[in-house]
Amino acid sequence: MSPEAGVPDMISAVVTFHRERQMAVATLHAIERMRRFAEARGLQVELVMTLDGGDPETEAAITTHPALRASDTLHHVTLSDLSLCRNHAIEHARGEFIAILDGDDLFSANWLVAAVDCIRTRGRSSIAHPRLMIAFGTWNAYWEQLDQDDPHFLPETLVSLNHWNACSVARREVFARCPYVVARVGESGFGFEDWHWNCETIAAGCVHHAVEHTFRLERRKAEGSLNLAHQSHAAIVRPSAFFDTL
Amino acid sequence: MSEHPAIVYRMIRSAYRWSDRAVVQRLPASWRERLQALLFGVARRAFPARISARSPREFAAGGAGGQPAHGPLPEWARAEVRALAEFEPALAALGADDAALEHYVIPWDMRYVGQRYAAARRQLRSGYACMLFMGGDLDALGAEALAACARPLAIVDVDDAPATAQRARAIGADYVALPAGDLDLNDHCAVLARLALQCAPRQLLHVAHPVLDACIERHGLALAAVAEVAPWPAGADQATVAP
């Protein structure tokens, strides 16, 4: 990643694809809906996508999607790791802000704009997350994410609980300072790259905020999800400086 | 659980639910949270096998059984979900029907695991040449073998035997007792593994013990990334443990 501050008022939406097939179509429509909402409010949005060992159906779903623009990029990679894919995309991102999005999720139209507003209001080291998480598919449920400034936030609970999902927006320097760390759970026993990133960013002085009136729709699948892989391998979060501060 | 304690449990659960509706929910937030934390602590100690809730918040949301609560999605979110159903038909039911969506309560106040870890971590430092995971009697491990352990040495005792702390300090080791207490096996293993991962000793030795065996089986692969992991005594089987 270049050390510069990035293109002002631009959000680089980092979208990681693997084998989402037709699910990628809905995701890209939802991202385009966010992009139009952001453009109407003076922000630019570029898509920086990775396809990690994908299949032809997923590739076709992405490359033929009507939402794609000439400035959007798709990187074909064979990294077999979500963290490394995100880092790869972030390296190629141009925006002042980076948004982390998964290739099979959907989002409220205002998510990117509200996240940038939050960061501008709360300070350069702020990290924005949607307030509501809505799971759909094999489990239909919703829950709230907590603000780190909320008096109910208790740091020691991060030992057993991940407070914030990977869906996040922050200034590019946050990602330069705290890149994601590889989490090939079957090979390493480590997992939950977002949980680890949350811990590392807190240790680095960042503050996580839950942005009101925003949500992420998280697709729950019967098989093939990273969550299930983490559970089946009894994955544990990598060592983090945060756990030495408790 | 035998029939009698089961009846007692159901009676207490009914009383809790009534008092929650009639009293606790009418209190100011800070009083309510304190009272819920107190009731949760008592319930966990009285009925450890029956309380699946992991925190006062989860306990209060689900009644004494700790089941998740149900509640409507805010209207602004429901309208957004309906709009997104244009792209993903599976969302149509969620935007239309309250019953289709469970309001899951995250146990933000699940403190007991983190507190146990933090208390143990504060008693240890980093840079150990050897960390010994043990249970039972330290003397049974043999004075000669213990003397041969690389220094600095940290001993983590999952049984908290009375004489072990004194004996460990007598041989110049840092010592921390980490018995199960109110941790279930998964949490106990996770706290032990977190402790070793953060201390990052050069060598991690573990005696045969049900909790330690489970910990190494679950997290041995991750632990091997920070330490040479081997069963006690160190010379008996030098094969690094990896599941």
Side-chain angles (χ1 to χ4, degrees):
Chain A
M1 175 189 269
S2 65
E4 295 87 31
V7 177
D9 298 328
M10 177 187 273
I11 304 166
S12 295
V14 165
V15 195
T16 47
F17 293 102
H18 175 47
R19 293 185 180 191
E20 287 74 11
R21 300 182 179 172
Q22 291 308 304
M23 291 183 286
V25 175
T27 294
L28 287 169
H29 278 306
I31 291 172
E32 177 62 8
R33 192 164 169 266
M34 285 197 293
R35 173 148 64 180
R36 288 175 188 273
F37 189 93
E39 285 172 342
R41 286 151 185 83
L43 293 167
Q44 297 178 70
V45 178
E46 66 162 1
L47 303 192
V48 188
M49 302 171 284
T50 60
L51 180 60
D52 189 8
D55 51 31
E57 188 180 349
T58 305
E59 183 174 1
I62 299 166
T63 55
T64 63
H65 199 285
L68 289 202
R69 302 181 189 177
S71 57
D72 297 333
T73 52
L74 174 64
H75 301 263
H76 293 79
V77 294
T78 50
L79 297 166
S80 304
D81 184 74
L82 189 54
S83 295
L84 298 181
C85 287
R86 287 181 185 145
N87 291 345
H88 181 92
I90 290 166
E91 285 279 332
H92 293 84
R94 296 181 298 138
E96 176 184 4
F97 300 95
I98 305 286
I100 302 297
L101 308 172
D102 280 354
D104 56 359
D105 292 337
L106 297 93
F107 317 88
S108 58
N110 66 344
W111 163 231
L112 296 178
V113 170
V116 167
D117 284 348
C118 168
I119 294 163
R120 285 176 169 161
T121 306
R122 308 294 289 267
R124 298 191 70 84
S125 295
S126 297
I127 297 169
H129 299 273
R131 167 65 79 184
L132 285 185
M133 300 290 299
I134 306 175
F136 73 101
T138 55
W139 184 42
N140 296 323
Y142 78 95
W143 60 95
E144 293 165 54
Q145 300 198 110
L146 190 63
D147 200 292
Q148 196 183 324
D149 281 345
D150 189 301
H152 289 98
F153 174 72
L154 306 166
E156 68 269 27
T157 59
L158 266 168
V159 171
S160 51
L161 187 71
N162 183 17
H163 283 263
W164 305 284
N165 179 273
C167 183
S168 57
V169 178
R171 288 186 182 274
R172 61 191 287 116
E173 62 256 33
V174 170
F175 292 94
R177 204 164 13 137
C178 299
Y180 290 96
V181 179
V182 63
R184 292 189 188 113
V185 61
E187 294 173 23
S188 69
F190 293 116
F192 306 108
E193 81 297 330
D194 49 352
W195 190 347
H196 180 258
W197 187 78
N198 292 336
C199 292
E200 289 290 271
T201 47
I202 292 174
C206 297
V207 182
H208 293 255
H209 296 290
V211 183
E212 294 297 341
H213 298 289
T214 60
F215 69 67
R216 171 203 187 209
L217 277 156
E218 174 185 306
R219 194 183 295 270
R220 290 294 176 115
K221 293 170 280 192
E223 53 187 25
S225 81
L226 196 54
N227 264 339
L228 294 171
H230 285 149
Q231 286 165 25
S232 68
H233 288 93
I236 191 166
V237 178
R238 279 184 182 278
S240 166
F242 168 79
F243 294 121
D244 288 333
T245 64
L246 294 171
Chain B
M1 181 178 278
S2 68
E3 193 178 336
H4 177 67
I7 291 168
V8 172
Y9 169 76
R10 283 199 292 272
M11 287 170 60
I12 291 176
R13 184 179 61 183
S14 298
Y16 168 78
R17 285 179 171 165
W18 175 83
S19 67
D20 191 61
R21 282 193 303 271
V23 182
V24 178
Q25 292 303 327
R26 299 178 187 203
L27 295 172
S30 61
W31 287 35
R32 186 167 66 236
E33 286 166 12
R34 267 183 239 166
L35 192 55
Q36 285 169 343
L38 177 70
L39 292 169
F40 174 65
V42 170
R44 283 190 79 235
R45 280 170 185 79
F47 303 103
R50 299 295 297 266
I51 305 297
S52 56
R54 293 161 292 175
S55 76
R57 181 178 150 78
E58 201 173 42
F59 183 66
Q67 296 305 306
H70 292 265
L73 190 66
E75 187 47 45
W76 67 265
R78 191 196 302 273
E80 270 292 282
V81 170
R82 278 197 295 268
L84 287 163
E86 177 191 348
F87 313 126
E88 176 49 76
L91 297 176
L94 301 191
D97 181 9
D98 271 345
L101 206 58
E102 174 187 314
H103 180 192
Y104 182 69
V105 174
I106 298 286
W108 290 330
D109 46 352
M110 181 187 175
R111 307 181 78 163
Y112 57 94
V113 177
Q115 285 176 332
R116 291 291 300 282
Y117 159 75
R121 181 70 186 95
R122 285 195 288 265
Q123 295 175 67
L124 299 176
R125 50 202 166 92
S126 299
Y128 292 107
C130 182
M131 177 176 272
L132 172 60
F133 276 3
M134 62 149 298
D137 180 5
L138 185 62
D139 282 332
L141 302 183
E144 212 169 285
L146 282 169
C149 282
R151 299 298 198 272
L153 169 66
I155 294 178
V156 180
D157 176 10
V158 294
D159 283 338
D160 193 15
T164 301
Q166 200 175 2
R167 179 82 186 95
R169 288 177 186 123
I171 62 170
D174 287 347
Y175 171 84
V176 64
L178 194 52
D182 55 358
L183 301 176
D184 68 19
L185 183 62
N186 282 346
D187 289 334
H188 201 186
C189 290
V191 170
L192 288 162
R194 173 61 49 208
L195 206 53
L197 289 170
Q198 296 302 128
C199 290
R202 278 211 306 276
Q203 186 180 42
L204 175 64
L205 303 176
H206 53 96
V207 303
H209 184 286
V211 171
L212 300 175
D213 293 348
C215 177
I216 298 300
E217 185 185 342
R218 285 160 203 240
H219 303 303
L221 188 57
L223 291 167
V226 301
E228 176 199 339
V229 183
W232 176 272
D237 179 0
Q238 285 295 346
T240 299
V241 175

